[in-house]
Amino acid sequence: MVDVIILIIVAVIIVFAFRGSVKHFKGEGSCCGGGTKGLIKEEDKVLEKSKLGEKIIKIEGMHCEHCKQSVTSALNKIDGVAAIVNLKKGEAAVSYDRPIDESQLKKVVEEAGYHVVSIH
């Protein structure tokens, strides 16, 4: 009888863990800070000068709105850069109004805790 109760408890834990994992990988979970209810969205950054160009950064490791906000904030701290991050595509579109070094873009994304796959 005790074995049956333990098996039921383990089964319930596995079901909840599976549901949480599915939400996490769909970007609906609270992997990095407690869900989207407490998320404070920053205003989109506008470039000071006319746009010189755009780069697309492919990023691995973003799973939720908090991840998206972390990457956006990190990139937008660079002078002359305005970023829009697409969580579903796993990429950031970075507009710039002055020459920008790709290594600097990679550095700030990786310091935020994510992996840069490519920049083009």
Side-chain angles (χ1 to χ4, degrees):
M1 182 64 175
V2 173
D3 290 338
V4 173
I5 293 172
I6 292 172
L7 286 175
I8 291 172
I9 292 171
V10 169
V12 169
I13 291 171
I14 290 172
V15 167
F16 280 107
F18 180 75
R19 286 181 53 211
S21 295
V22 169
K23 285 178 109 179
H24 171 83
F25 288 109
K26 282 182 163 182
E28 299 169 354
S30 58
C31 70
C32 304
T36 58
K37 289 184 182 180
L39 185 66
I40 299 172
K41 187 175 183 319
E42 295 180 14
E43 294 292 321
D44 291 339
K45 184 176 176 184
V46 179
L47 295 175
E48 296 171 12
K49 302 174 187 171
S50 59
K51 179 176 160 181
L52 183 64
E54 183 175 281
K55 294 188 183 288
I56 302 296
I57 306 172
K58 288 286 190 182
I59 303 167
E60 287 182 344
M62 296 187 300
H63 300 291
C64 68
E65 288 297 319
H66 289 275
C67 297
K68 175 183 173 180
Q69 190 63 42
S70 293
V71 171
T72 303
S73 178
L75 288 166
N76 283 343
K77 287 180 183 175
I78 301 172
D79 287 335
V81 168
I84 298 174
V85 177
N86 185 318
L87 184 61
K88 299 268 184 213
K89 290 183 177 181
E91 65 183 29
V94 177
S95 300
Y96 50 93
D97 64 8
R98 59 196 79 171
I100 190 74
D101 188 8
E102 289 183 5
S103 64
Q104 185 181 16
L105 297 173
K106 181 177 180 177
K107 179 182 174 190
V108 298
V109 171
E110 293 190 345
E111 284 177 350
Y114 305 93
H115 176 67
V116 173
V117 177
S118 66
I119 300 175
H120 53 276

